[in-house]
Amino acid sequence: MGYDWQQAVTAHRDELLADLKAMLRIKSVRNERQATPDAPLGPGPQQALDHFLALGTRDGFKTKNVDGMAGHIEFGTGNETLGILGHVDVMPAGDGWSHAPFDPIIKDGKIYARGAMDDKGPSMAAYYGLKVVKESGLPVTKRVRFILGTDEESSWRGMKYYFAHMPAPDFGFSPDAEFPLINGEKGNVSLKLKFGGTNGGTVMLHQFTAGLRENMVPGNAKATVSGACLDEIEQAFSRFIKTAPVSGKATRTLDRLTLAVTGKAAHGMEPREGINAGTYLATFLKNYDFGGDAAHFITFIVNYLHEASRLEKFGAAFSDPVMGDLTMNAGLLNFTAGQTGSITLNFRYPQGIEPATIRTAIDRVTSQWDAVISVGEAMAPHYVALDDPLVTTLLGVYHRQTGTDAPAEVVGGGTYGRLMKRGVAFGALFPDCPNMMHQVDEYMPVEDIMKAAAIYAESIYELIK
Ligand SMILES: [Zn+2]
C-alpha cells in the first residue's frame, strides 16, 4: 500500500479553496503602463506573485522573489531539481460575464472567476500537491522549485527573466494545460501587418476594433462608419446578425453608425474553437463602398483571414504527421481613420516549417497593398520523447489515479513546459471538462482541482523520491 495522496489532499480542501479564492480576487492582468521597478509587469501581477510566495513562507518553504518578474517556492535538497512552472497573471476578463470576474463564487460545484482554470486553480492544486509531499515526511533525494511567472499570457517576460538569472531545473512540468500530458508543443510566432489609414469610398470607416490579445480569438468587434446609405446599412446589419453565427447591435448617433458584433472568444491555439467577431464584422462591411486603406483592410480580412485558420486562402496549409496543422489566429484587428490599420496574426507551427516560410506566404498577398510586416520573436516547436522517464512517470500516476489509459498528446502549445529541455505540460484540465481558459464565465470544477492536487502530489513524490 502506498501513501494515500487523495486523502492527504482532501484533508486540506477548505484551506485550498480559501487560498485559491484569495488569489482569484487579485486582478493580475499585466499592465506595463503602471509598471514600477518593484512591479515590472504592473501592480496586479506583482501583488499576485507576492501573495503566492507568502503562502509558501506561511507553510514553511524557502521562497525567492526574482526582481518582481518571477519567483519560486523551494522544497528538498539534492543535485537534481524538479521544476513546476505555473503563472499568476490572467487574461483580461473581456465583456459578457454573468458575475464579477474577480469576485470568485462557487456554484454547482464549480468555482467561477478569471483565472480559475488558467492558471490559478491548477497552480494552487500543484502547490497543495507539493505541500502534502512535504507534510508526508517521506524522504526525498531531489530538490523541487515551484516557479511562478507573472506574464504567461503575453510575452513570458517574467519566466524568461527567471531562466536568464536562475539555474534552469533539470526536468519538470507545467500545470497550465490539460491532462493527461502534453509532450509536444507547436512553435509560436506572430506577424504584425500595418496598413495606412486612408479612406476614399462613399462610405467611410472611422474605427474598427476587434480582439484583446493576439493569442485569443476576438469575441467582440466594433466598427464606426459614416457616409451614404446608413439606413440601408443598419437594416442589412439586422438581417446579417440573424443569419451569421454572431449576435450584434447597431447604434446610430447623428451621422454615424456603430456596429458591434459578439462572436465567441477562445484560445488562439485552436481558432476553430471560437467565432471571430472581427472577421465576421468585416464580411458584413465588405458589401459597402469603402475606399483606400480601409477597403484593403476589410478585403484582406475577408479574403484571407475569415474562417481560414489553416492558411488555406494563402495557399499555405501545412501539416506534420506527429505535430499536426499549422494554424493562424487573427487576434487583433484595428483601424483608425487618418492614422493606421493593423492586424496581428498568431501562428502555431509544427516541426517541418519555419516562420520565414509563413512570412513569405503572407508577403505574397499583402505586398500589393504596401502593408508592412513585422515578425515577432518565434518559439520553436518542442518535443520530449514518449519513453522519457518524466513522461512515463507522470502518465503512470495519472492513469493509476484516474483509471484511464489516455495517451500523451501534441498541441498548439505554448506552455512553460518548453522552457526546460525535459519539460512537459501536465494538467489540470481533465478530458471530460469543457476548456474554459480565456473564455467568458471561466470556471473549474472544484472536484477537478482536488483530483489534480492528488495527482500532482503523487507525481512530485514519484519524481523526487
Ligand atoms: Zn495559462
Side-chain angles (χ1 to χ4, degrees):
M1 277 297 285
Y3 194 84
D4 190 341
W5 298 107
Q6 267 142 342
Q7 204 222 307
V9 163
T10 304
H12 285 295
R13 182 191 173 97
D14 293 346
E15 190 192 346
L16 187 160
L17 290 176
D19 283 346
L20 175 56
K21 281 182 173 172
M23 278 303 297
L24 291 169
R25 280 188 203 105
I26 302 172
K27 190 178 173 183
S28 49
V29 178
R30 180 191 69 150
N31 185 349
E32 279 166 297
R33 274 171 308 192
Q34 289 180 30
T36 65
D38 288 343
L41 295 153
Q46 180 230 1
Q47 213 193 326
L49 176 62
D50 289 351
H51 187 90
F52 215 130
L53 294 179
L55 298 181
T57 308
R58 175 197 70 187
D59 295 336
F61 292 103
K62 270 194 279 181
T63 67
K64 184 174 176 69
N65 185 326
V66 184
D67 301 329
M69 299 290 265
H72 71 231
I73 295 169
E74 184 177 311
F75 170 68
T77 52
N79 296 329
E80 267 192 286
T81 300
L82 160 67
I84 303 169
L85 278 55
H87 66 92
V88 296
D89 59 304
V90 294
M91 291 293 281
D95 298 326
W97 282 67
S98 322
H99 56 87
F102 296 100
D103 188 10
I105 53 162
I106 296 178
K107 208 173 73 185
D108 302 330
K110 299 163 183 156
I111 184 160
Y112 286 84
R114 173 55 90 221
M117 181 174 272
D118 182 16
D119 179 48
K120 291 173 177 174
S123 278
M124 194 58 74
Y127 175 70
Y128 269 80
L130 179 61
K131 183 172 149 118
V132 301
V133 168
K134 174 170 170 280
E135 287 174 358
S136 75
L138 294 167
V140 300
T141 64
K142 296 178 183 119
R143 183 166 63 177
V144 181
R145 280 189 173 161
F146 183 89
I147 306 169
L148 293 159
T150 52
D151 182 25
E152 198 279 333
E153 301 297 2
S154 304
S155 54
W156 293 20
R157 266 187 71 197
M159 205 53 105
K160 285 176 186 165
Y161 186 92
Y162 183 95
F163 276 76
H165 292 80
M166 298 292 295
D170 298 284
F171 62 105
F173 65 87
S174 176
D176 187 26
E178 59 201 44
F179 287 123
L181 182 142
I182 294 166
N183 69 316
E185 297 180 10
K186 292 179 191 172
N188 185 338
V189 69
S190 289
L191 298 192
K192 188 168 179 178
L193 304 171
K194 273 215 147 138
F195 295 82
T198 64
N199 268 275
T202 57
V203 187
M204 176 169 174
L205 182 64
H206 293 272
Q207 189 96 42
F208 186 107
T209 54
L212 296 169
R213 288 280 164 87
E214 62 199 44
N215 60 0
M216 197 173 169
V217 177
N220 296 91
K222 202 181 261 191
T224 301
V225 303
S226 69
C229 51
L230 288 192
D231 289 335
E232 187 196 315
I233 297 177
E234 193 171 350
Q235 283 159 20
F237 184 70
S238 68
R239 289 193 297 274
F240 168 74
I241 56 178
K242 281 192 193 105
T243 53
V246 293
S247 57
K249 195 169 170 253
T251 323
R252 190 75 174 267
T253 56
L254 291 172
D255 59 340
R256 289 191 185 191
L257 177 66
T258 296
L259 306 172
V261 167
T262 302
K264 183 171 173 257
H267 199 298
M269 71 180 162
E270 180 42 278
R272 286 177 178 169
E273 298 280 321
I275 297 171
N276 192 317
T279 67
Y280 269 94
L281 179 54
T283 61
F284 173 73
L285 294 174
K286 180 143 191 298
N287 302 318
Y288 299 96
D289 179 33
F290 293 95
D293 296 316
H296 298 155
F297 176 81
I298 292 167
T299 304
F300 176 69
I301 294 172
V302 175
N303 290 1
Y304 296 96
L305 308 184
H306 183 58
E307 297 289 356
S309 65
R310 267 55 183 176
L311 284 81
E312 53 268 47
K313 294 181 185 171
F314 290 101
F318 180 84
S319 194
D320 170 78
V322 177
M323 299 193 76
D325 290 349
L326 163 65
T327 63
M328 170 183 72
N329 178 48
L332 295 170
L333 310 164
N334 291 294
F335 182 89
T336 304
Q339 294 180 25
T340 182
S342 69
I343 294 175
T344 305
L345 305 173
N346 181 244
F347 300 89
R348 306 296 167 120
Y349 61 100
Q351 55 198 7
I353 187 168
E354 295 294 325
T357 312
I358 301 169
R359 187 204 164 121
T360 304
I362 310 295
D363 244 341
R364 263 203 308 270
V365 168
T366 54
S367 55
Q368 56 182 311
W369 298 315
D370 299 324
V372 179
I373 297 189
S374 53
V375 185
E377 196 187 333
M379 286 198 291
H382 173 75
Y383 195 80
V384 180
L386 287 170
D387 59 0
D388 189 295
L390 172 69
V391 175
T392 55
T393 301
L394 294 179
L395 267 185
V397 170
Y398 176 82
H399 291 159
R400 205 153 52 238
Q401 286 204 22
T402 61
T404 62
D405 61 357
E409 57 188 336
V410 172
V411 299
T415 83
Y416 282 162
R418 65 165 59 244
L419 288 167
M420 296 166 286
K421 199 158 178 282
R422 287 179 62 214
V424 298
F426 185 52
L429 170 64
F430 284 91
D432 59 353
C433 180
N435 185 347
M436 298 305 295
M437 299 182 205
H438 298 205
Q439 300 207 30
V440 165
D441 289 338
E442 177 177 349
Y443 69 80
M444 183 150 178
V446 172
E447 282 323 306
D448 285 4
I449 296 172
M450 300 308 297
K451 270 170 22 190
I455 290 168
Y456 289 137
E458 184 175 354
S459 297
I460 293 166
Y461 174 68
E462 289 295 324
L463 290 171
I464 65 170
K465 70 180 182 185

